[in-house]
Amino acid sequence: MKSINLLTTILLILFSIPFSIGQNVTIPIETENVATVLKTDENNRLKMVYFGKSLSDGNEYNQTGDVFNFRSEGAASNNNAYAVAGIDNNFVEPAIAVIHVDGNNSLDLLYDSHTTSKTADGAILTTVTLKDPVYPFVVDLHYKAWKDKDVIEQWNVIRHTEKGNVILNKYASANLYLNNKDYHLTSYNGAWAKEMQPVETHLRQGMHTIESRLGTREHLLTSPNFMLSLDGKSTETSGTVMMGQLAWTGNFALQFETDVNKNLHIVAGINPYQSAYHLKPNTPFETPRFIYTLSFEGKGKGSRNLQDWLREHNLLDGQGERLTLLNNWEATYFDFDQDKLVSLFGGAKELGVDMFLLDDGWFANKYPRNDDTAGLGDWDVNKKKLPDGVPFLVRAAEKEGVKFGIWIEPEMVNPESELYENHPDWVIKQEQRPEIYFRSQLVLDLTNPEVQDFVFGVVDDLFTENPTLAFIKWDCNAPIFNGHSSYLERENIPQSHLYVEYSRGLQSVLERIRAKYPKVPMMLCSGGGGRSDYNLLKYFTEFWLSDNTDPLERVFMQWNYSYYYPAITMCNHVTNWSKDKSLKYRVDVASMGKLGFDIRANELSERDMKFAQQTVANYNDYKDVLWHGDMYRLVDPYENDMASLMYVNEQKTEAVMFSYLTNWRYLAETSTRPVKLKGLDKDKRYRVTEINLYEGERSPVDHQKVYSGEFLMNVGFNPMVDSYRASVVIKIESVQ
Ligand code: GLA
């Protein structure tokens, strides 16, 4: 009897080891102000038990889960840190769903171990390894926390050692579980020339999904950016708000599932649409990063967190300089030749911008690129238009004192091209079905290494021929239709890998480009703003927001983009899209980003030219504050008849403020009240000067007056915006 008891005791001790480990493991992931807490339960499953303010006593994190009643396991909620499909204690949306080699479609993931370390770039990386107790299948959850930015990057590595391929039907990057009560989601719809249109959704019970299935040009209809207020609506300065995006160049899905207990389950990752991935043994699959911040001081702080993080840790040359430019797209479209272009270089010089950017239409001979129906893919210079080639243009621009940049769209092909004739198998299409075109073009198959070499070659050849080429505008105008790759077919790789391998192919081309040409600025463009993900912004210095350059539309669009991107990334051009708006309004709006012009400079009146020159000089004077400073949104055009934003340098000695009329009605409320400034030093004294004025124009702003920061932030300053002063740019400088 005694020995049986002893045996039972030993067995109990042995069996209780994993359980007690499970009960005891608390994993806090912390930044300055935010903490995510993961904890194992009595079954050794990893749960997300807390997402909120960080605590000063780290020992208290292990109690955070105890004060919530999660009603997990078998009920309506499940706070798993990575929800699985196929075992019966999970009824919520899975983050991962697999079919094992033996056909079994269940997965259970138990906590195995975790590590926390400092990364070379200064973040804290926590990796938690989860293992299936039955199959040799492992998921490493990664959380990279940027302490002073309150930004977290989350992704996973999925691996196995089964004897064959495991099919991943779903493989999300992140799974979060929130216990707040009143969720307001802002997501963004779009279309060509209508990018980043915000939509607010009050999340109640059920599933709300933001997703893209376009393959390329993936943000055309939906943006992967989101803003989620957790406890009722937040404002610029108050409320708890989570903001971020899935950093993936391809199909994405962000799922927001609210349960009966008002808990919110977020699953974010590559869109599983047509994308079952057959994972070989010992071949880790890394998901893209889900990147977010949590602010307890409203949207303004959230934006500054993301903008700072992007500039310091993700964006190519985020701390560097950018080139102002004159572009010829709207000035000439396809209708130009060598002489005409050279005659435009003088305009760039006269305006005082750094560079001339040659847009579409400079290439292809057998099927010349005279409109968008032919020539795409044939990257030889068009001899008829440009007999002396690109090197001549580069030299001629440089002689004029401006740098030279060029447009390419290397991922695409027109059926009417030599490239298509010579390599029909390089094109994504369903051989047995009619081809479907978008802007008369098709997408090249970047899963194919030969195509990757070709795309790399387009850039490499340009730089080899023109070592001083200063800039590339990389366009991408078509989504993927009829998704089928003859390369994958030849290689016996499932077609359902197409979207993932396309994106990886593109990324590997960009890695090669950046290994050889690390810093040359490149603009990411996609038939307007079809691409702006943080993943591509590792390789690009800036992006094109939209082909819509109507300045009134732009005020709203730039406002929306500003939640996620710093001004240094946003290319804004002054064009004739909306000539009814004054040149001043157009320039002032375009100045709130990376300034460019796309006009026939020689057609400007002398007075307009003088004005434009002055605005470029002003821009050069304040661009450092704009590009590298802190941004504050002051007056929301969605709630007022004007918009107002400002940028302040780190020392709080210099700032620039932009205000724009957005409602031309007589009843519009604009200059009736002052605008309260933000981000200044209350104890400093500031001189306020209006800039971007026409010669001889008098400003109602008294340039002699000096205000304290306290006054400007508490009482405010009135830029006096009205229909006669539809845009006002103010320079703010501290005085001794
Ligand atoms: C796209 C871009 C434009 C321009 C044209 C050229 O539409 O968004 O800026 O470059 O292509 O064809």
Side-chain angles (χ1 to χ4, degrees), residues 441-480:
Q441 65 194 58
L442 289 160
V443 181
L444 291 176
D445 181 5
L446 268 165
T447 69
N448 183 341
E450 278 182 332
V451 178
Q452 292 173 21
D453 288 346
F454 169 80
V455 174
F456 172 76
V458 174
V459 176
D460 197 31
D461 290 351
L462 275 168
F463 282 124
T464 307
E465 194 187 34
N466 307 284
T468 59
L469 188 68
F471 187 87
I472 297 246
K473 175 177 176 184
W474 179 304
D475 211 338
C476 163
N477 276 290
I480 293 177

Side-chain angles (χ1 to χ4, degrees), residues 428-690:
I428 293 180
K429 58 176 182 171
Q430 297 277 2
E431 310 267 341
Q432 77 280 33
R433 298 186 192 280
E435 290 178 0
I436 304 176
Y437 307 122
F438 195 101
R439 210 191 188 209
S440 307
Q441 65 194 58
L442 289 160
V443 181
L444 291 176
D445 181 5
L446 268 165
T447 69
N448 183 341
E450 278 182 332
V451 178
Q452 292 173 21
D453 288 346
F454 169 80
V455 174
F456 172 76
V458 174
V459 176
D460 197 31
D461 290 351
L462 275 168
F463 282 124
T464 307
E465 194 187 34
N466 307 284
T468 59
L469 188 68
F471 187 87
I472 297 246
K473 175 177 176 184
W474 179 304
D475 211 338
C476 163
N477 276 290
I480 293 177
F481 288 119
N482 276 343
H484 180 271
S485 152
S486 44
Y487 168 77
L488 292 179
E489 189 169 303
R490 268 202 313 277
E491 297 294 314
N492 251 328
I493 299 170
Q495 289 299 323
S496 58
H497 287 207
L498 175 64
Y499 289 121
V500 169
E501 296 305 346
Y502 184 94
S503 182
R504 287 178 169 174
L506 174 62
Q507 198 161 322
S508 111
V509 170
L510 289 162
E511 288 283 340
R512 280 168 74 186
I513 291 174
R514 283 315 181 187
K516 197 160 175 191
Y517 309 102
K519 271 213 164 172
V520 183
M522 293 209 295
M523 180 208 286
L524 179 59
C525 173
S526 184
R531 271 179 174 174
S532 56
D533 62 88
Y534 293 165
N535 183 43
L536 282 187
L537 287 176
K538 288 189 298 193
Y539 310 100
F540 290 84
T541 48
E542 52 216 85
F543 71 98
W544 184 235
L545 284 62
S546 173
D547 280 349
N548 188 338
T549 46
D550 175 316
L552 180 59
E553 296 302 329
R554 277 282 177 149
V555 170
F556 289 86
M557 233 183 249
Q558 291 169 205
W559 177 273
N560 293 322
Y561 276 111
S562 81
Y563 287 110
Y564 310 93
Y565 306 92
I568 194 170
T569 59
M570 296 198 225
C571 298
N572 302 329
H573 294 178
V574 177
T575 73
N576 286 335
W577 177 297
S578 182
K579 273 207 204 137
D580 59 313
K581 305 285 180 317
S582 68
L583 179 66
K584 173 169 165 58
Y585 193 82
R586 285 179 275 152
V587 172
D588 288 353
V589 173
S591 295
M592 210 184 65
K594 209 217 72 174
L595 177 64
F597 290 81
D598 193 348
I599 49 172
R600 284 186 281 269
N602 57 345
E603 289 176 10
L604 290 179
S605 68
E606 208 185 313
R607 185 171 143 75
D608 279 349
M609 176 51 95
K610 267 214 168 122
F611 166 75
Q613 284 168 336
Q614 186 55 52
T615 61
V616 174
N618 292 341
Y619 184 83
N620 286 334
D621 181 43
Y622 64 70
K623 67 187 181 190
D624 185 51
V625 179
L626 181 77
W627 291 347
H628 305 120
D630 286 334
M631 182 228 46
Y632 295 86
R633 284 176 296 264
L634 307 174
V635 180
D636 184 344
Y638 286 94
E639 292 168 6
N640 299 276
D641 296 324
M642 60 179 278
S644 198
L645 298 93
M646 71 184 282
Y647 301 79
V648 187
N649 71 349
E650 208 187 332
Q651 304 75 30
K652 299 179 186 295
T653 51
E654 269 184 73
V656 55
M657 173 193 187
F658 300 88
S659 302
Y660 311 108
L661 182 70
T662 53
N663 179 1
W664 269 256
R665 285 188 60 196
Y666 183 70
L667 292 177
E669 268 190 41
T670 50
S671 52
T672 47
R673 311 190 157 69
V675 175
K676 287 182 186 165
L677 306 196
K678 288 183 191 151
L680 299 175
D681 180 341
K682 77 175 188 24
D683 298 322
K684 284 197 164 61
R685 300 187 67 73
Y686 296 94
R687 188 183 307 285
V688 174
T689 317
E690 179 169 3

Side-chain angles (χ1 to χ4, degrees), residues 188-216:
Y188 302 88
N189 288 333
W192 178 77
K194 269 176 97 167
E195 291 85 346
M196 282 297 271
Q197 303 298 316
V199 186
E200 279 222 13
T201 312
H202 191 186
L203 298 178
R204 305 275 179 157
Q205 200 185 348
M207 178 65 89
H208 184 93
T209 305
I210 306 170
E211 63 181 325
S212 165
R213 298 198 188 97
L214 289 97
T216 54

Side-chain angles (χ1 to χ4, degrees), residues 355-369:
M355 184 182 67
F356 181 86
L357 170 62
L358 172 58
D359 216 285
D360 196 355
W362 58 269
F363 49 89
N365 290 291
K366 184 170 174 191
Y367 303 103
R369 181 76 172 165

Side-chain angles (χ1 to χ4, degrees), residues 177-193:
Y177 193 80
L178 278 50
N179 310 96
N180 305 72
K181 268 178 77 175
D182 192 12
Y183 309 97
H184 293 260
L185 177 72
T186 308
S187 54
Y188 302 88
N189 288 333
W192 178 77

